[in-house]
Amino acid sequence: VAGSVTDSKVIECVANFSEGRDAEIVAAIEGAVRSVAGVRILRSEMDTDHNRSVITFAGPPDAVAESALRGIGIAVERIDLRKHAGVHPRMGAADVVPFVPLEGATLADCVAIARRTGQEVWERFNVPVYFYEAAALSPDRRLLENCRRGGFETSRIAPDVGGPALHPSAGACIIGARKLLIAFNVNLKTDDVRVAREIARKIRASSGGMPFVKALGLSLAGRGLVQVSMNLTDFEQTPLHVVFDAVVREAAARGVGIAGSEIIGLIPKKALEDAAAHYLQCENFESGLVLENRLAED
Amino acid sequence: VAGSVTDSKVIECVANFSEGRDAEIVAAIEGAVRSVAGVRILRSEMDTDHNRSVITFAGPPDAVAESALRGIGIAVERIDLRKHAGVHPRMGAADVVPFVPLEGATLADCVAIARRTGQEVWERFNVPVYFYEAAALSPDRRLLENCRRGGFETSRIAPDVGGPALHPSAGACIIGARKLLIAFNVNLKTDDVRVAREIARKIRASSGGMPFVKALGLSLAGRGLVQVSMNLTDFEQTPLHVVFDAVVREAAARGVGIAGSEIIGLIPKKALEDAAAHYLQCENFESGLVLENRLAED
């Protein structure tokens, strides 16, 4: 069928702005993002405590880059970090802007878009730029924390583009490229948070568990349950169902049952297709067997 | 994203033609089907024993109806049932033509398309038409078998449109509307076909099992396995994962394990999403959480 989303590349941008209290400013940024043809806002969240908002939008790469630039432009104009308070660490009015490959696009496409967008941010708005994750220019800048150290007030890290001084009111912008991540929580039928913490430690990459898994054990006091809260940073390497089964197994080994799970944000269809094929023990599964995928093929 | 397949209604047509040996004639029918803008052939199969071919295509309702008419036109012109031999029962050169609602379309839309197409088949090609399943004009014609009784050579059933005599070489065309069906097989780790037959009898609607499930027990001699071969005629009423779990349970009760499963033809994404959400015990799942679904929204 002509004109489907898979006819060409689609990328996502998950832009973080240092304004989570003034809805009028956030709406102005959304309006700028939406003003580019072909770009769709998938989600928009404001956090009052963090005084921060996250706008997730998607479309063809060039259009998404232009949307990001227009959104950053409004943020630079309307947000003054000298008057900004909030518990979240931040470097800029438009603080962190990662590009994520979706259909037909690669991480390399997003690195290219990130670099070009960074150059434009400096040229259009006089705001210096750091590149992080896959777009980093040096290994030590891959981690967001390393770009953000010291924050707007006390940073001593030289920008990758522009500078060396930060923009007086808008600081700097940290632009990157990364793969899609899945945020997924599993709730356990116990009120003992140690069980969730033990399981989190057992499965997460940082303590020798599964690669591409970040996990925390939390208490859900209101429900009398505990939760293993996870980010899967590469679900094609470590699939969702593998992580879920590991949590189920570790919980069972501790005599604890599963209350349920929840998906935070959006989940790519491939993670669900792979999970369904796994649990249904399907021998011949491939994405082309899904009617809607076939319809969307060129 | 503009122009995605969900911007408007999409239906499918699974057209059965009484020619499965002459590839040139089948290619001519395919060409006619493909000649309508917006229509895509999803699958095309020829069966030599049955001397029959099935072309599955999809697109906007009016375009799919026109494709069906053009395909039927070629079949009427090129296939002479007086010279046709094959084991499959048949009434016409273009034998059975069901329309199936896909994205955004309803069964009622397909009934309307079926009725209009039937009228056109008579007017354009002088071929009388029977309506079956949801498009039937009377309850006794809902079943395909009832429309086809006697076959091309000896049928005494008056057509719903045109006739009363059948077309001398092209017979009649049986046009209908039905929901999408899922063809799904589960292979069992035993060579005792009685196990597969018992399970099929236990789960299928016709012997008091689950509604909307047709099932047969078969031997897969080549693999030393047996198979429960199923059609799910309404997977939203009786989901794929419910049927799979029932087969697993019945097999386990007989001390038999699962070797694997297979999807025949195409499967709608909703069946996989629902299965994934079920096995992952997801509390908050809805289709809008799937990134690609969100991208395709208006």
Side-chain angles (χ1 to χ4, degrees), chain A residues 18-285:
Chain A
S18 294
E19 177 57 66
R21 291 171 191 168
D22 187 333
E24 202 265 306
I25 293 176
V26 175
I29 298 172
E30 286 173 9
V33 165
R34 211 182 271 118
S35 70
V36 179
V39 172
R40 170 193 305 268
I41 292 181
L42 303 180
R43 211 156 40 112
S44 181
E45 296 150 295
M46 278 177 72
D47 186 311
T48 312
D49 295 329
H50 288 173
N51 196 6
R52 195 172 174 82
S53 56
V54 179
I55 303 175
T56 304
F57 49 99
D62 290 343
V64 167
E66 180 58 28
S67 276
L69 283 162
R70 293 188 192 176
I72 291 167
I74 300 291
V76 170
E77 197 181 302
R78 304 285 299 270
I79 301 170
D80 187 342
L81 276 195
R82 292 167 298 193
K83 300 176 190 160
H84 180 271
V87 295
H88 203 285
R90 76 279 182 280
M91 277 299 278
D95 193 46
V96 182
V97 181
F99 294 96
V100 177
L102 299 183
E103 299 184 17
T106 64
L107 192 57
D109 293 331
C110 288
V111 169
I113 287 288
R115 297 265 175 79
R116 219 183 63 207
T117 303
Q119 204 62 45
E120 285 277 307
V121 166
W122 171 244
E123 286 165 16
R124 289 196 203 178
F125 311 122
N126 244 351
V127 170
V129 168
Y130 300 89
F131 293 120
Y132 83 113
E133 288 223 6
L137 295 176
S138 59
D140 58 301
R141 297 208 174 171
R142 294 188 78 89
L143 279 177
L144 180 60
E145 304 85 282
N146 291 349
C147 298
R148 193 152 60 183
R149 189 165 303 126
F152 170 69
E153 287 80 4
T154 63
S155 172
R156 296 183 163 271
I157 303 168
D160 292 312
V161 181
L166 301 191
H167 185 286
S169 61
C173 186
I174 309 176
I175 299 181
R178 62 164 172 79
K179 291 185 111 176
L180 196 79
L181 66 77
I182 295 175
F184 182 66
N185 300 331
V186 179
N187 300 331
L188 308 180
K189 284 184 182 158
T190 174
D191 58 3
D192 183 353
V193 73
R194 288 171 304 178
V195 174
R197 287 188 185 141
E198 267 177 47
I199 295 175
R201 208 157 32 233
K202 189 86 188 251
I203 64 167
R204 71 186 168 215
S206 65
S207 45
M210 290 176 285
F212 311 108
V213 175
K214 298 180 180 188
L216 279 178
L218 304 172
S219 186
L220 297 184
R223 293 181 61 185
L225 301 173
V226 300
Q227 178 177 85
V228 183
S229 177
M230 293 167 283
N231 274 343
L232 313 189
T233 59
D234 190 337
F235 74 93
E236 294 184 279
Q237 301 284 335
T238 303
L240 179 61
H241 56 266
V242 168
V243 175
F244 178 72
D245 287 350
V247 174
V248 171
R249 203 165 45 239
E250 293 296 333
R254 289 162 179 81
V256 171
I258 303 299
S261 71
E262 36 179 2
I263 294 162
I264 307 300
L266 298 171
I267 186 164
K269 68 178 175 184
K270 185 167 191 312
L272 293 178
E273 289 175 2
D274 291 349
H278 164 74
Y279 292 113
L280 294 169
Q281 300 183 40
C282 193
E283 294 170 359
N284 70 332
F285 187 78

Side-chain angles (χ1 to χ4, degrees), chain A residues 1 40 42 261 280 283 297, chain B residues 1 40 261 280 283 297:
Chain A
V1 174
R40 170 193 305 268
L42 303 180
S261 71
L280 294 169
E283 294 170 359
E297 277 168 13
Chain B
V1 174
R40 167 193 306 267
S261 70
L280 294 169
E283 293 171 357
E297 275 168 13

Side-chain angles (χ1 to χ4, degrees), chain B residues 102-166:
Chain B
L102 299 182
E103 299 185 16
T106 64
L107 191 57
D109 293 330
C110 288
V111 169
I113 288 287
R115 297 267 175 79
R116 219 182 62 207
T117 303
Q119 203 64 44
E120 285 278 307
V121 165
W122 170 243
E123 286 165 18
R124 290 197 203 178
F125 311 121
N126 244 350
V127 169
V129 168
Y130 300 89
F131 292 120
Y132 83 112
E133 287 222 8
L137 295 176
S138 59
D140 58 302
R141 297 209 173 172
R142 294 188 78 88
L143 280 178
L144 179 61
E145 304 86 282
N146 291 349
C147 297
R148 193 152 61 184
R149 187 163 305 125
F152 171 68
E153 286 81 4
T154 63
S155 173
R156 294 183 162 271
I157 303 168
D160 290 314
V161 181
L166 301 191

Side-chain angles (χ1 to χ4, degrees), chain B residues 27-42:
Chain B
I29 298 172
E30 287 173 8
V33 165
R34 212 182 269 116
S35 70
V36 179
V39 173
R40 167 193 306 267
I41 293 181
L42 303 179

